[in-house]
Amino acid sequence: MSIQKVAVIGSGVMGSGIAAQIANAGVPVVLLDIVPKDADDRSAIAKGAIAKMLKTDHLAPLMSKKNAKLITPGNLEDDLELLKDCDLIIEVVLEDLKIKHATYEKIQKHRKKDSIVTSNTSTIPLAKLIEGQPKEFVKDFMISHFFNPPRYLRLLELIVGPDTRKDAVKTVRDFCDIQLGKGVVMCKDTPGFIVNRLLVFWMQASVNAAIEDGVPIEIADAVMGKPIGVPKTAVFGLIDLVGVDLMPYLSSSMLSSLPEDDQYRKIYKDYPFVGQMIEAGYNGRKGKGGFYRLNPDAPKGTKEKQALRLSADSFSEDQYHKADKPKLESVAAGKKGLQAVVTTEDDGGAYAWKVLSQTLSYAASLVPQIADNIAAVDEAMRLGTNWKKGPFQMIDDLGPKWFADKLREEGMDVPPLLDAVGDGSFYKVIEGKLHYFGTDNTYHAVERADGVLLLRDIKLSSEPVIKTASASVWDIGDGVLCVEFTGKMNALDEPVFDAYWQAIKKIGDGSGDYKALVIYNEGSHFSAGANLGLAIFAMNIALWPQIESLVTGGQKVYKALKYAPFPVVSAPSGMALGGGCEILLHSDHVQAHAETYTGLVEVGVGLIPGWGGCKEMILRYQAEEREQHAKRTGGKQLWFSPANTPMGAVRKAFETIALAKVAKSAQEAKELRYLKPSDEITMNRDRLLFDAKQKALELAKDYQVPEAVEEIRLPGPTGKMALELAVNDLRKNGKATPYDVPVSLAVAEVLSGGPKADWTQPVSEDDLLKLEVKEFMQLVKNEGTQARVEHMLEKGKPLRN
């Protein structure tokens, strides 16, 4: 059975987010909600949810606004008949058992035979959800717990009952994995499943330790964030993000269902100040503030972040003060490892130990109660919270024996699983494959699903074929090489180009040991572009020949890859900016992860794309224009003729590059033509390398080198003049800064083809590359450019003045 259409019942934040992600996967989805009282439009709630999706820009639920067309809104009184066409029905109504049971009754009456029903509950056990339900419903039912926001958090906890059909489980697992891009973790039917069980404990232990030891929340968050591998929101910032008002609800849910001897019951404390915060409207970011807020009395046009001084028994606005930026040895110790953090003798180190000793030992006590093995727990915590490592990986960083001995030293219980691992570790490499320590006291291989290929696994049993200071080249099997960037932010420089040249030489004409090249890495981001640190160093001491050599060197190697006698497939994920975008433009095929954010952003630092980006974008937009012209005319008229001198492609390329447009998804990248219509998208990050490799092998079978574009028809000075008028209008209207003008004109010079071009005098690819170098070098010598590059390096964002 395959899932062709889905229904989501409940269009709140989670329900609408789940529906959006299903639409992102290209699957039609019905979104139903209750009929609002006295409403003119009985489906207003679901329609309003879709309208909100379309307006949301920050953490947008839709990968493309076009995907909203796949969502059909309706209500639970008039539109239940729509369920008969749905293969999967996901319930996302209020966490109230009576409401859920009433909803299941409606679903059961209208769903088709063998359709699958799941609940997104985060707190109610499956056993309670299926109480009193008919057998045919129970066999088709399971819990599919998404995490908020559903598009961006990769975890899906899947909980099945003893009577759930195995084929239904496989269908849902495959759908959520392959089509929705989720890391599916099988959980036991226990309170809070995996992530909420551990996360609620961690937050409670963190609040307790801060209050008991008088630790300011700024110190708590400073040490419990990046130094231990947790997102920068850390503890109190996270509570503000999810909502202070959610904390009592989560605690109540846990306390209502946890075993009597559970450790959470022993550490739980109901602090009066939390209720007082909620009553005063301090619910976190969605309210007036929470543990942090912006000073409401700050001078106009300024922002001052304030932090709450904790008091267990009371809350008042007088407890807010200007937030400190603590500099602690324990925070700096994060670079040396987790043990260095918790053993540092300062407030941060003591706090980190107190919280982590409780949290990690609690995690170790819950296997196999909450999951079959530790690998599942670690996977869930990484994907559901964006922690860099799960609890058992963190224990390995501490040293299991060291951790157990320190627990004993402080009179704390040592969980049996931690005691059993003894002098060993929870993970180890055996014969080139990662293994985990099982509850049977033996090691088991970490198995990957079919279609999953990870570079980190390949590295366990091999050495790079080629290695430079900023890149490595790996043999990923079947005659395919893989270039991996290894510098900071995967920035691009001459050592990366050297790795490309060596790979090109190694593969040769594709008839030997190797026949294709994949460009991929498993960093958070594919590449942030050129190495700006190196660039500003060269600019400050006027090493102009070296900078020009870097620009021409990038052009040469990118062109060599474009016209190589073997296929080149790029597989980006995360940011692919500037030079990182330009390598995509020169690849035969791009197999992009859905969450690829790409664009030619060089104008933000006062430069233009210098590695062929301008050239490739004009070629793409001209190809698009030719196709559209052929459709309009039935192929009867030439795209270019003395009577038809199209400027549309030039304007589109200029707008895209001069405005530094960035695609916020792979789907948007197709719309902006950073990706070709033939490029493909992989939803699950773990499947990206496998998909890219398969595409490279497919292309290698009968590979034909692309034909070089000999004639590019561009308008020359007349076209540049038209673009210049547009730039001047933007400047007059305050939409462009004084420095934007020369940068935009440099883009216009390249895209119009230079002073010798006109519609009847075509230019070549090499002509455009030379223009890129000329305009790039003129800009790079400008003091304004140097200031912008320095600002980007220091602040991480463009300078706007």
Side-chain angles (χ1 to χ4, degrees):
M1 175 184 174
S2 63
I3 292 175
Q4 303 296 323
K5 190 172 185 179
V6 180
V8 175
I9 313 295
S11 64
V13 173
M14 281 303 296
S16 61
I18 293 167
Q21 185 64 1
I22 293 166
N24 289 336
V27 177
V29 55
V30 173
L31 182 62
L32 304 181
D33 212 313
I34 60 172
V35 176
K37 188 177 180 182
D38 301 324
D40 293 332
D41 187 341
R42 291 168 61 81
S43 299
I45 295 177
K47 289 179 180 177
I50 297 171
K52 187 175 181 181
M53 288 179 205
L54 290 166
K55 292 177 183 176
T56 303
D57 186 47
H58 177 62
L59 294 178
L62 293 169
M63 293 179 180
S64 169
K65 293 186 186 299
K66 295 177 182 178
N67 295 341
K69 295 177 181 178
L70 288 168
I71 307 174
T72 302
N75 67 73
L76 284 166
E77 292 183 23
D78 307 324
D79 301 305
L80 287 168
E81 282 296 315
L82 295 174
L83 298 184
K84 73 178 187 300
D85 297 323
C86 297
D87 304 299
L88 172 64
I89 302 165
I90 305 173
E91 168 268 301
V92 201
V93 303
L94 294 175
E95 291 289 84
D96 182 300
L97 196 55
K98 289 184 179 179
I99 293 175
K100 289 185 183 295
H101 281 166
T103 303
Y104 297 160
E105 186 177 352
K106 291 181 178 180
I107 291 172
Q108 181 62 13
K109 286 179 180 177
H110 293 87
R111 74 185 183 100
K112 66 181 179 180
K113 187 176 184 296
D114 291 332
S115 62
I116 302 166
V117 183
T118 76
S119 173
N120 186 60
T121 183
S122 60
T123 58
I124 303 175
L126 184 143
K128 289 188 177 181
L129 292 174
I130 60 175
E131 278 181 358
Q133 302 303 315
K135 288 183 179 180
E136 58 268 27
F137 182 90
V138 171
K139 70 181 177 62
D140 296 334
F141 184 82
M142 65 194 83
I143 292 173
S144 57
H145 180 214
F146 291 79
F147 283 71
N148 193 32
R151 171 181 165 184
Y152 299 96
L153 282 181
R154 290 180 55 205
L155 177 64
L156 183 125
E157 292 180 321
L158 194 62
I159 299 92
V160 303
D163 299 317
T164 307
R165 286 189 290 120
K166 290 183 180 179
D167 61 321
V169 176
K170 184 180 187 305
T171 296
V172 171
R173 187 168 189 164
D174 288 349
F175 176 72
C176 293
D177 169 357
I178 299 168
Q179 292 183 257
L180 301 189
K182 297 301 170 188
V184 181
V185 175
M186 302 300 296
C187 308
K188 301 289 185 68
D189 189 21
T190 57
F193 313 131
I194 295 176
V195 171
N196 281 347
R197 180 77 170 268
L198 294 177
L199 201 62
V200 170
F201 184 98
W202 176 68
M203 289 190 287
Q204 183 71 59
S206 298
V207 174
N208 290 354
I211 289 175
E212 290 165 5
D213 298 340
V215 177
I217 66 171
E218 302 99 303
I219 288 180
D221 280 352
V223 75
M224 291 300 284
K226 187 176 179 180
I228 68 165
V230 167
K232 63 181 180 181
T233 50
V235 179
F236 293 96
L238 177 64
I239 296 174
D240 279 356
L241 180 64
V242 300
V244 177
D245 55 333
L246 186 62
M247 304 316 296
Y249 170 77
L250 288 173
S251 298
S252 174
S253 173
M254 288 295 181
L255 293 169
S256 69
S257 52
L258 284 173
E260 288 301 319
D261 61 347
D262 192 86
Q263 189 63 23
Y264 178 75
R265 292 186 180 279
K266 298 175 184 177
I267 71 163
Y268 172 73
K269 292 182 181 178
D270 182 11
Y271 293 108
F273 82 91
V274 174
Q276 293 167 19
M277 285 178 72
I278 297 168
E279 190 175 341
Y282 283 89
N283 293 318
R285 294 188 188 182
K286 62 187 176 184
K288 295 190 292 186
F291 289 99
Y292 297 98
R293 73 170 187 179
L294 292 177
N295 185 355
D297 300 320
K300 191 174 181 180
T302 65
K303 290 182 179 181
E304 179 188 271
K305 185 178 181 180
Q306 294 187 314
L308 182 68
R309 188 175 293 107
L310 293 178
S311 169
D313 299 320
S314 63
F315 163 80
S316 75
E317 293 184 345
D318 295 338
Q319 291 169 234
Y320 285 104
H321 62 277
K322 184 177 180 180
D324 293 329
K325 294 183 178 179
K327 294 184 178 179
L328 300 167
E329 288 185 22
S330 53
V331 172
K335 296 178 180 178
K336 300 177 183 177
L338 193 56
Q339 190 177 129
V341 175
V342 301
T343 56
T344 300
E345 295 182 357
D346 64 10
D347 289 346
Y351 177 79
W353 167 252
K354 189 167 187 176
V355 175
L356 289 178
S357 60
Q358 296 177 74
T359 305
L360 298 182
S361 61
Y362 183 60
S365 72
L366 292 177
V367 178
Q369 182 185 336
I370 61 174
D372 285 334
N373 56 66
I374 65 166
V377 174
D378 281 347
E379 180 84 347
M381 292 304 290
R382 287 194 306 270
L383 298 182
T385 66
N386 281 332
W387 287 13
K388 286 190 175 179
K389 297 183 177 182
F392 294 93
Q393 292 171 302
M394 294 170 81
I395 294 173
D396 272 358
D397 286 350
L398 290 172
K401 186 176 186 306
W402 179 90
F403 182 54
D405 288 346
K406 195 160 174 60
L407 290 177
R408 290 190 186 95
E409 184 183 314
E410 298 196 2
M412 298 175 68
D413 292 335
V414 177
L417 191 61
L418 177 60
D419 201 30
V421 81
D423 291 334
S425 58
F426 281 109
Y427 292 94
K428 68 190 306 185
V429 177
I430 302 173
E431 296 181 352
K433 191 166 184 177
L434 186 65
H435 287 64
Y436 66 87
F437 187 74
T439 54
D440 58 357
N441 296 348
T442 61
Y443 286 93
H444 304 265
V446 175
E447 301 295 343
R448 307 293 185 195
D450 290 341
V452 171
L453 178 65
L454 300 176
L455 199 54
R456 63 177 178 267
D457 287 345
I458 291 169
K459 292 178 181 180
L460 296 176
S461 58
S462 63
E463 295 293 329
V465 176
I466 298 163
K467 186 172 178 60
T468 69
S470 302
S472 296
V473 180
W474 299 87
D475 183 338
I476 60 173
D478 300 313
V480 181
L481 290 181
C482 175
V483 172
E484 174 199 28
F485 310 140
T486 57
K488 185 176 181 181
M489 289 294 288
N490 291 327
L492 307 174
D493 52 21
E494 287 178 336
V496 172
F497 300 158
D498 183 32
Y500 281 141
W501 285 119
Q502 290 189 56
I504 290 170
K505 184 178 179 181
K506 196 88 174 171
I507 299 173
D509 63 3
S511 63
D513 293 337
Y514 300 105
K515 52 192 170 188
L517 181 67
V518 169
I519 302 169
Y520 163 92
N521 63 74
E522 287 170 5
S524 299
H525 300 291
F526 180 71
S527 175
N531 187 332
L532 291 182
L534 185 63
I536 196 63
F537 173 77
M539 291 162 72
N540 284 335
I541 58 175
L543 290 175
W544 311 126
Q546 284 82 349
I547 293 176
E548 185 168 343
S549 175
L550 180 66
V551 177
T552 57
Q555 289 183 347
K556 288 175 182 176
V557 75
Y558 280 21
K559 185 178 179 183
L561 289 167
K562 179 178 179 179
Y563 295 113
F566 53 82
V568 176
V569 176
S570 286
S573 179
M575 291 191 300
L577 303 177
C581 177
E582 286 174 296
I583 188 59
L584 308 185
L585 297 175
H586 287 82
S587 300
D588 291 290
H589 180 85
V590 177
Q591 188 71 39
H593 179 227
E595 298 299 343
T596 294
Y597 319 119
T598 189
L600 297 171
V601 297
E602 288 86 348
V603 296
V605 291
L607 295 169
I608 67 169
W611 289 336
C614 295
K615 164 183 67 78
E616 290 299 317
M617 289 307 292
I618 194 67
L619 290 174
R620 290 190 176 204
Y621 281 121
Q622 285 193 345
E624 177 188 43
E625 199 166 73
R626 279 194 295 272
E627 289 171 10
Q628 291 174 349
H629 179 76
K631 286 180 181 178
R632 286 194 303 269
T633 65
K636 295 177 181 178
Q637 294 179 21
L638 293 175
W639 168 73
F640 172 82
S641 68
N644 182 41
T645 53
M647 267 288 287
V650 176
R651 289 195 186 96
K652 285 181 181 178
F654 178 76
E655 185 178 309
T656 299
I657 297 170
L659 296 179
K661 289 186 177 180
V662 174
K664 296 178 181 177
S665 70
Q667 290 183 27
E668 277 192 12
K670 284 198 167 195
E671 293 166 11
L672 289 171
R673 290 299 180 265
Y674 289 132
L675 298 185
K676 301 188 294 287
S678 59
D679 290 332
E680 297 173 61
I681 297 171
T682 296
M683 293 294 283
N684 192 320
R685 178 71 174 81
D686 288 347
R687 295 179 174 275
L688 183 59
L689 181 57
F690 179 88
D691 289 349
K693 176 184 171 183
Q694 294 306 113
K695 189 65 182 184
L697 290 169
E698 177 189 326
L699 293 173
K701 288 178 183 176
D702 298 299
Y703 184 70
Q704 298 293 319
V705 178
E707 289 186 16
V709 182
E710 300 295 343
E711 294 186 350
I712 305 171
R713 295 185 182 274
L714 295 170
T718 57
K720 182 183 177 183
M721 189 180 299
L723 297 176
E724 188 173 349
L725 289 172
V727 172
N728 288 333
D729 285 343
L730 289 172
R731 175 73 187 107
K732 288 176 185 176
N733 295 327
K735 295 181 179 179
T737 70
Y739 192 77
D740 288 333
V741 175
V743 179
S744 298
L745 293 181
V747 175
E749 176 75 3
V750 177
L751 295 178
S752 61
K756 296 181 181 180
D758 64 37
W759 291 115
T760 61
Q761 186 65 40
V763 296
S764 68
E765 288 192 63
D766 286 341
D767 290 332
L768 290 184
L769 290 175
K770 289 173 184 176
L771 268 177
E772 284 188 0
V773 175
K774 174 176 169 283
E775 296 299 323
F776 186 98
M777 292 308 299
Q778 286 179 356
L779 290 170
V780 86
K781 295 175 183 178
N782 190 302
E783 289 183 3
T785 299
Q786 295 178 33
R788 277 160 172 73
V789 174
E790 287 176 343
H791 186 272
M792 176 63 80
L793 276 172
E794 183 182 348
K795 304 291 186 181
K797 57 185 178 181
L799 177 65
R800 303 300 300 166
N801 61 33

